């Protein structure tokens, strides 16, 4: 089957779920899965099935690796300027189609339209940023200390890359990998999350329209990601695995990749502390907390998961946060006035409820929220808890929902110790008017990214990633993101 690419016919007018779920995208062909099976896609706001996408098998995985390997020699030799201009057209097309893409993301993921718009802008930026990086890949040239030869270091595309992405940012987590991989000269196979596959397929058609040659990007959905990924990693043509998702799946993929020594980049879970000192600007700290907690209704790896507030400002902060959280408009993601959409699945709601009930049993006080509503849709109300003890499960697990747990602290040393008491180390937030304290605390926090007096860290121009069990490698930033898709080739030359 080689059906019509989605978007070419629909323009930016309407969502056509039949077009978006027409096939796996392999070697530029839209084809049914060899299993003949499909995976239902559910709108979390209504619980209705909106589409069914193909359920790829190991045979399809092999076809995708073959397609990516076939396209690789030509793409790596495509002049950087040409690659750059194709990436720039991806940016332009995404920007032109932003409203439709945002609506698609809101529908399949449930996030509020305003969050989806923000995601599309962020996702498109990876193409603009990497179109600029594609023409700035440089090498090194020097003289060996002995004087006997020259040392030449070239940076070459690593090869065929397998990219695996989660459901919480269906566009941005994919473009954060695809754009630098293509800029570096690699070809890719993307396996998006089964909960939100339509955005990935819509974007595949957009890339083709922007001029990405057939086979350079391949997209497949499967209900059996374990064996599917293992089969690709065992193929010697696959040289890179870039994964974004939970730490537990990341650990098992690292073990799988070790069997054939495949290079890995891992963007894993987080447990971000959000620290507010007495001298903080209260209004700014509340604004920042709302962004750090409620972007994507709390379904973000960078989400503030533990809010530590110093005694002198604690009560005013808790009151202010509860007022803002309780005032949020909860509703279907695609509704224009929604500020907090549903969670991704019923299971996600149950997990959040389990963590909240556990905290309450251990002594936490409910300031607002905490009751799961009846009715259709996977909703959880914006919730604020105070007096959350260090032993509560939510102090150690990702909540991934609209729950703000506040804990009081007294001293700088105490809060640094608490903030670092986790296996994770992705994002951290600090609010203080004392610049010296901000920098001192940032130096002590075990995290890959630290925001001082800001509720947002993500930026395509900055290296995104974690320490400890939050991951390996960085995405975005000058050289960092693109270097994940290149290898150094050293030539010793005497002349
Ligand atoms: P997940 O680990 O369950 O799934 C992520 C992806 O891996 C999906 O595509 C899934 O189908 C696939 N997968 C699941 N089991 C697999 C297996 N055995 N082999 C290969 N692939 C497998 O995570 P999720 O629930 O989709 O996403 C939420 C998690 O992602 C959270 O932990 C969050 O913190 C993390 N996340 C991290 C970042 C980051 O940049 N560090 C960004 C977004 C999300």
């Amino acid at each position: 089957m080689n059906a019509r690419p989605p978007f070419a016919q629909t323009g930016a007018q309407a969502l056509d779920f039949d077009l978006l779920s027409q096939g796996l995208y392999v070697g530029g062909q839209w084809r049914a899965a060899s299993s003949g099976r499909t995976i239902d896609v559910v709108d979390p706001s209504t619980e209705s099935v909106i589409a069914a996408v193909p359920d790829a098998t190991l045979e399809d995985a092999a076809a995708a690796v073959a397609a990516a390997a076939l396209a690789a020699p030509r793409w790596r030799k495509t002049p950087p300027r040409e690659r750059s201009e194709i990436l720039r057209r991806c940016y332009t097309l995404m920007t032109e189609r932003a409203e439709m893409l945002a609506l698609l993301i809101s529908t399949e993921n449930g996030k509020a339209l305003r969050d989806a718009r923000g995601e599309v802008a962020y996702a498109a930026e990876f193409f603009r940023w990497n179109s600029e990086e594609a023409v700035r890949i440089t090498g090194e040239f020097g003289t060996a200390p002995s004087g006997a030869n020259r040392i030449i270091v070239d940076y070459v595309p690593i090869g065929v890359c397998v990219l695996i992405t989660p459901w919480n940012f269906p566009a941005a987590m994919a473009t954060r990998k695809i754009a630098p991989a293509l800029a570096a000269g690699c070809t890719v196979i993307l396996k998006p999350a089964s909960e939100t596959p339509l955005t990935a397929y819509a974007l595949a058609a957009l890339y083709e329209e922007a001029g990405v040659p057939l086979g350079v990007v391949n997209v497949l959905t499967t209900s059996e990601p374990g064996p599917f990924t293992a089969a690709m990693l065992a193929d010697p043509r696959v040289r890179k695995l870039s994964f974004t998702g939970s730490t537990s799946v990341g650990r098992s993929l690292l073990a799988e990749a070790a069997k054939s020594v495949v290079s890995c980049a891992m963007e894993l879970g987080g447990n971000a502390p959000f620290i507010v000192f007495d001298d903080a600007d209260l209004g700014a700290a509340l604004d920042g907390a709302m962004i750090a907690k409620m972007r994507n209704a709390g379904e973000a790896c960078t989400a503030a998961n533990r809010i530590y507030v110093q005694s002198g400002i604690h009560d005013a902060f808790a009151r202010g946060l509860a007022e803002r959280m309780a005032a949020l408009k909860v509703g279907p993601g695609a509704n224009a006035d929604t500020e907090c959409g549903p969670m991704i699945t019923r299971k996600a709601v149950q997990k959040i409820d389990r963590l909240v009930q556990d905290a309450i049993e251990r002594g936490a006080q409910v300031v607002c929220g905490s009751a799961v509503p009846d009715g259709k849709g996977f909703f959880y109300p914006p919730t604020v808890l105070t007096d959350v003890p260090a032993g509560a499960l939510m102090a150690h697990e990702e909540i991934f929902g609209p729950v703000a747990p506040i804990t009081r602290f007294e001293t700088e040393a105490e809060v640094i110790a608490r903030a670092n008491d986790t296996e994770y180390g992705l994002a951290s937030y600090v609010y203080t008017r004392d610049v010296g304290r901000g920098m001192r605390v940032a130096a002590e926090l075990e995290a890959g990214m630290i925001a001082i007096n800001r509720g947002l860290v993500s930026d395509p121009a900055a290296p995104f990633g974690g320490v400890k069990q939050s991951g390996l490698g960085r995405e975005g930033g000058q050289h960092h993101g693109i270097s994940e898709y290149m290898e150094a080739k050293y030539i010793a030359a005497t002349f």
Side-chain angles (χ1 to χ4, degrees):
M1 170 177 27
N2 191 14
R4 301 163 295 165
F7 281 140
Q9 276 72 28
T10 54
Q13 304 307 316
L15 292 179
D16 183 333
F17 294 120
D18 289 338
L19 268 180
L20 291 168
S21 50
Q22 64 191 327
L24 307 168
Y25 185 65
V26 178
Q29 306 282 306
W30 294 93
R31 45 192 264 181
S34 56
S35 65
R37 291 190 307 267
T38 55
I39 308 168
D40 284 347
V41 184
V42 173
D43 175 350
S45 301
T46 61
E47 301 187 37
S48 50
V49 174
I50 53 172
V53 293
D55 188 0
T57 61
L58 301 193
E59 204 180 307
D60 299 315
V65 174
L70 188 66
R74 192 152 172 207
W75 182 246
R76 70 191 288 149
K77 290 205 170 73
T78 299
R81 175 62 69 204
E82 215 175 294
R83 292 204 298 262
S84 164
E85 282 168 1
I86 292 171
L87 295 182
R88 181 70 189 209
R89 280 198 293 278
C90 290
Y91 164 76
T92 304
L93 282 181
M94 280 188 77
T95 306
E96 284 171 10
R97 312 259 165 89
E99 200 52 26
M100 186 184 187
L101 287 166
L103 188 58
L104 176 57
I105 292 171
S106 282
T107 309
E108 67 172 348
N109 167 281
K111 72 176 67 179
L113 207 45
R114 64 177 193 174
D115 284 333
R117 289 184 181 122
E119 178 181 349
V120 175
Y122 176 53
E125 273 304 330
F126 284 102
F127 281 111
R128 179 155 66 169
W129 179 258
N130 284 288
S131 76
E132 292 154 355
E133 289 294 294
V135 289
R136 314 241 186 275
I137 301 167
T138 54
E140 292 141 40
F141 187 91
T143 303
S146 66
N149 61 284
R150 297 303 178 95
I151 293 172
I152 301 163
V153 185
D154 193 12
Y155 289 92
V156 297
I158 196 166
V160 172
C161 307
V162 170
L163 315 176
I164 302 179
T165 51
W167 49 263
N168 65 337
F169 289 91
M173 295 304 97
T175 62
R176 202 163 76 176
K177 299 183 189 304
I178 293 172
L182 267 53
C186 297
T187 59
V188 306
I189 300 146
L190 171 70
K191 194 218 78 65
S194 304
E195 293 87 348
T196 55
L198 303 178
T199 305
Y201 284 127
L203 287 174
L206 182 148
Y207 306 147
E208 187 178 317
E209 203 182 328
V212 173
L214 307 187
V216 170
V217 175
N218 305 275
V219 183
L220 297 91
T221 34
T222 180
S223 62
E224 295 196 63
F228 183 85
T229 310
M232 289 194 286
L233 293 177
D235 189 311
R237 292 171 294 186
V238 170
R239 297 311 314 145
K240 182 85 191 183
L241 169 65
S242 179
F243 172 76
T244 299
S246 60
T247 295
S248 62
V249 172
R251 279 189 205 109
S252 70
L253 284 173
L254 281 167
E256 197 61 50
K259 292 180 187 165
S260 16
V261 194
V262 171
S263 165
C264 287
M266 294 273 149
E267 295 287 347
L268 308 178
N271 182 6
F274 187 100
I275 302 169
V276 185
F277 285 98
D278 281 346
D279 68 349
D281 175 330
L282 178 62
L286 288 168
D287 289 345
M290 289 301 289
I291 295 168
K293 179 71 256 179
M294 292 306 292
R295 193 163 66 110
N296 268 2
E299 293 179 315
C301 54
T302 50
N305 207 59
R306 298 168 291 153
I307 302 179
Y308 295 114
V309 188
Q310 206 165 14
S311 275
I313 199 172
H314 175 276
D315 293 354
F317 181 90
R319 215 171 26 250
L321 192 64
E323 270 166 23
R324 289 171 189 232
M325 291 283 276
L328 288 175
K329 176 116 181 75
V330 179
N335 280 12
D337 60 347
T338 293
E339 293 170 309
C340 177
M343 304 294 97
I344 190 71
T345 54
R346 173 77 53 208
K347 203 169 146 210
V349 173
Q350 288 163 350
K351 179 194 169 182
I352 297 164
D353 192 43
R354 173 175 66 80
L355 294 179
V356 169
Q357 296 314 320
D358 165 79
I360 294 170
E361 276 162 30
R362 293 172 195 259
Q365 304 295 311
V366 178
V367 191
C368 69
S370 89
V372 180
D374 295 331
K376 284 281 183 200
F378 308 131
F379 292 97
Y380 194 89
T383 296
V384 176
L385 305 176
T386 54
D387 303 313
V388 177
L393 293 176
M394 65 171 61
H396 305 279
E397 289 181 38
E398 286 185 290
I399 303 169
F400 241 60
V403 177
I406 300 178
T407 301
R408 187 187 297 265
F409 76 91
E410 304 297 335
T411 68
E412 191 177 306
E414 173 200 351
V415 80
I416 290 170
R418 285 198 190 190
N420 288 339
D421 183 19
T422 170
E423 67 187 18
Y424 296 107
L426 194 60
S428 293
Y429 305 85
V430 183
Y431 272 80
T432 174
R433 283 195 176 99
D434 179 342
V435 179
R437 168 149 62 190
M439 295 304 291
R440 194 166 65 234
V441 173
E444 294 299 320
L445 289 174
E446 296 165 356
M449 298 173 286
I450 292 152
I452 301 178
N453 296 326
R454 284 185 57 76
L456 186 69
V457 282
S458 306
D459 187 330
F464 187 106
V467 301
K468 294 158 82 176
Q469 297 199 31
S470 284
L472 301 169
R474 294 292 181 271
E475 292 189 321
Q478 293 179 2
H479 317 302
H480 299 89
I482 204 167
S483 67
E484 295 286 345
Y485 299 96
M486 295 188 296
E487 275 185 316
K489 182 181 258 185
Y490 153 53
I491 300 165
T494 302
F495 49 86

